[in-house]
Amino acid sequence: MTRADRADLHTLTGAYSVYALSGRELLAFERHLADCEACAQEVRELRATAAKLGMATSLTPSPVLKDDVMRRIATVRQDPPRVARSEPEFSGGGAPPRRASRGRWQNFALAACLAGAVALGGVAVWQNQQASDARDTARRSEQQVARVEAVTEVLAAPDAHSRNAKLTNGATGTVVVSHALDKAAFLASGLPKPPDGRVYQLWFSDRGTMRSAGLMDTADTGTGRGTAALLSGAVGKASGVGVTVEPAGGSKAPTTDPIGLMSFPAG
Amino acid sequence: MREPVFIGGPAPRGPNLEELLGLVARGDQNAFAALYDAVSGSVLGLTRSLLRDPAQAEEVTQEVLVEVWRTAARFEPARGSAMAWIMTLAHRRAVDRVRSAQSASDREERAALLNRTPAFDEVTEQVEARLEREQVRRCMQGLTELQRQSVTLAYYRGRTYREVAELLQLPLGTVKTRLRDGLIRLRDCMGVGA
Ligand SMILES: [Zn+2]
C-alpha cells in the first residue's frame, strides 16, 4: 500500500463510523483499523457522536413492545463471551468486525463460504442473482424483499449448515438450517415451472412424518434463475426437508412422492 | 428559548448501562428490563427515522434488543460506551433494512430526502431526550451546508458515502472529508469523549 493510499484510508473514519462504507473499501478500512490506533480512537469518538444523533430522535415505545421483547428474550439463548478466532459479531467499539457485519454483501460472502465447493448449488445461484439484482430492488414487491431478508438471515446465521441434493426433475436443491434461529431455508437452481394447477410444497420431516412448511413462490421458476424460500414454521426436532408437487393451494399431507428429500447436516 | 449548553462529557444520569449490560450478560432478566427502559426509546426513534414505517421500525427495534440480550457478553467496555454499542447496532440493522429495500435510481428524491427532518418533532415526555435533541439541533446548525447534508444522508437516511456523493453531485473525496469534518465538529460541539 502506498503512503497516499494510507493517508486516504485515515479519512474514511467518518464514513465508517456511520456505516457508510461498503464492499472492498469497507474491508480495506477494517484491515487498516486493526493496526491504526489513531483511526480506532477516532472511530470510537465518532460512533459515540453518531449515537447522540440517534438518541436525539428518541420516541416513547408502546408498552406492548416491551412485553414482546421480554417474552422473546426468555427463550433466546445467550452467546458465550468473545473467544479468540471465532468472532461473528461486529464490535460496537473501535475494533473492526472480524467477520460479517450482516450487511447484504457480507451476507452473500458468508453464504458463499457456506456453499463452499458445491458452487452449483442453489445458494450460489441465488446469491449471484441477488447480487446482480441488488440495484433494482425497487422493482420487487415488499413481499419479495422480505423473503430475501428472511432467507439471508438464515444463510448468515453463525451456525448455518447446508446440504445439497439433486432433485428428480433435474434441479439442484439446497437446504440451509440454523438451529439457533430455529429456521430453515430452501434454495433451488434450475427449478422448472410446476405443471399447470400444481405448486411446489415444502415439508419438514419429523421422523418421517411430513409437516407442511408452506408453498414456494413459483415466480422465478422455469427461468433458469435461483429460487429461495424460508420454510414456514419452526425447525424443532425435524430431521430434514422434503419437496413435493401438490395441487394448487397445497395439501395437508404429501399426495405425491417427493422430488427431493434432504436431511439436515448433523450439528 | 434558551437551551442548556453542555460542557464536558455527558452528565451522569440514569442507570449505569455498562453495569446493567454486565448483569444482562449473565442472564439477568431484571437488568435487561432496566436496560430496555433506558435505551428502547432511542433505538425506536433511530429505526423510525431510518425506516419511516412504524411497523418495520418496531420490528427492527425488537430484533436489536433481542440481539443485545443475546450478545451482551461480547460487549467490550474498552471499545466504547454501552449506549454507543447499542446505537451502532441499531443503526446497522436499520440501515441494512433500508438498503435491502431502497431504489438505486432515486436521485429525484434528493430534495425530499434533505427536507425531511428526522423525527425531531415527535412528542416525547422524556426530559433527557428533549435536552439531547436540543443539543443535536444546535450542533447541527453549526455545520456547513455540505457537512450537514452529508451527515444527514449518511446517518439518518442510511446512504453510503458513494450514494451521498451521487445525490449531492459532488466528488467522492469531497463527501468523504465533509462527512468526517461534520462528525468531528459535532463531536466537539457535543463534548463527546470516547
Ligand atoms: Zn488510520
Side-chain angles (χ1 to χ4, degrees):
Chain A
M1 186 178 293
T2 69
R3 187 170 301 178
D5 283 344
R6 203 175 151 82
D8 215 37
L9 279 172
H10 292 311
T11 61
L12 285 174
T13 48
Y16 181 76
S17 302
V18 293
Y19 197 29
L21 290 183
S22 57
R24 214 175 289 164
E25 231 167 358
L26 176 61
L27 296 177
F29 184 74
E30 286 181 341
R31 264 197 305 275
H32 169 73
L33 200 52
D35 42 46
C36 177
E37 181 43 40
C39 280
Q41 173 67 17
E42 191 162 290
V43 165
R44 274 194 290 274
E45 291 171 2
L46 298 187
R47 277 196 170 154
T49 304
K52 293 242 172 199
L53 297 183
M55 290 157 75
T57 64
S58 189
L59 297 171
T60 306
S62 80
V64 179
L65 189 66
K66 183 171 183 180
D67 294 343
D68 287 349
V69 170
M70 293 308 294
R71 219 183 352 260
R72 277 181 67 181
I73 62 137
T75 65
V76 171
R77 188 186 307 156
Q78 294 180 295
D79 289 350
R82 195 178 293 278
V83 216
R85 288 176 60 73
S86 71
E87 198 26 76
E89 284 315 310
F90 96 90
S91 54
R98 294 274 173 257
R99 214 169 92 207
S101 53
R102 306 268 172 96
R104 268 174 99 70
W105 297 97
Q106 292 91 328
N107 283 346
F108 296 131
L110 206 65
C113 300
L114 177 74
V118 284
L120 290 177
V123 172
V125 171
W126 185 76
Q127 75 188 359
N128 273 333
Q129 179 181 315
Q130 296 313 311
S132 60
D133 281 354
R135 287 188 71 80
D136 55 40
T137 45
R139 289 195 325 213
R140 298 170 176 218
S141 68
E142 277 291 308
Q143 218 175 2
Q144 284 170 314
V145 169
R147 192 171 69 218
V148 167
E149 288 183 336
V151 170
T152 301
E153 190 194 7
V154 176
L155 299 188
D159 71 335
H161 284 81
S162 72
R163 177 66 59 90
N164 275 41
K166 205 80 184 156
L167 308 182
T168 60
N169 60 15
T172 305
T174 306
V175 63
V176 182
V177 62
S178 160
H179 285 103
L181 296 174
D182 209 18
K183 286 179 186 167
F186 175 75
L187 301 95
S189 61
L191 198 62
K193 272 222 174 307
D196 273 352
R198 304 264 151 173
V199 292
Y200 291 114
Q201 188 163 1
L202 299 167
W203 308 88
F204 280 119
S205 168
D206 291 329
R207 294 165 173 255
T209 304
M210 305 304 253
R211 161 163 60 97
S212 177
L215 306 178
M216 289 195 75
D217 179 345
T218 51
D220 276 338
T221 58
T223 58
R225 293 160 62 89
T227 314
L230 180 76
L231 275 73
S232 50
V235 173
K237 291 202 161 58
S239 57
V241 163
V243 189
T244 61
V245 177
E246 299 294 337
S251 306
K252 285 221 167 72
T255 60
T256 58
D257 286 336
I259 59 168
L261 270 177
M262 287 141 281
S263 51
F264 292 141
Chain B
M1 178 168 130
R2 291 248 159 246
E3 290 303 333
V5 177
F6 289 81
I7 297 167
R13 59 186 178 216
N16 181 321
L17 300 187
E18 286 71 26
E19 268 170 37
L20 283 179
L21 208 44
L23 294 171
V24 170
R26 273 169 267 148
D28 185 333
Q29 295 191 14
N30 290 329
F32 181 81
L35 184 69
Y36 176 98
D37 291 339
V39 308
S40 58
S42 293
V43 171
L44 180 66
L46 178 57
T47 57
R48 178 79 172 274
S49 292
L50 279 153
L51 291 162
R52 283 177 286 169
D53 175 44
Q56 280 204 50
E58 287 209 351
E59 201 180 304
V60 173
T61 299
Q62 275 209 30
E63 281 168 19
V64 168
L65 290 160
V66 171
E67 189 165 354
V68 166
W69 163 262
R70 191 168 58 75
T71 61
R74 311 228 156 157
F75 167 69
E76 292 177 40
R79 293 178 174 178
S81 71
M83 196 65 195
W85 183 66
I86 293 168
M87 293 305 279
T88 304
L89 187 65
H91 187 249
R92 290 201 168 207
R93 292 294 169 266
V95 169
D96 283 345
R97 189 67 80 98
V98 168
R99 287 189 190 153
S100 70
Q102 103 192 359
S103 148
S105 59
D106 48 9
R107 255 158 274 177
E108 299 75 18
E109 274 186 36
R110 176 189 160 198
L113 279 168
L114 288 169
N115 289 335
R116 191 154 42 77
T117 36
F120 282 154
D121 304 321
E122 302 269 358
V123 183
T124 162
E125 61 268 32
Q126 288 175 318
V127 177
E128 292 166 16
R130 194 173 56 76
L131 297 181
E132 206 82 69
R133 211 163 48 234
E134 289 310 323
Q135 189 193 28
V136 166
R137 203 202 301 266
R138 182 174 55 77
C139 291
M140 286 288 256
Q141 280 165 2
L143 303 187
T144 68
E145 189 62 11
L146 279 185
Q147 288 171 348
R148 195 182 56 76
Q149 291 181 341
S150 302
V151 169
T152 302
L153 287 170
Y155 189 75
Y156 289 118
R157 303 287 168 264
R159 301 304 167 119
T160 64
Y161 89 92
R162 285 176 182 275
E163 290 171 327
V164 173
E166 208 172 307
L167 287 160
L168 299 179
Q169 297 176 339
L170 290 171
L172 280 175
T174 306
V175 170
K176 199 190 299 185
T177 52
R178 292 306 179 278
L179 192 49
R180 176 166 175 261
D181 294 347
L183 286 166
I184 287 175
R185 200 180 275 194
L186 287 171
R187 174 197 70 191
D188 296 343
C189 176
M190 298 192 282
V192 174

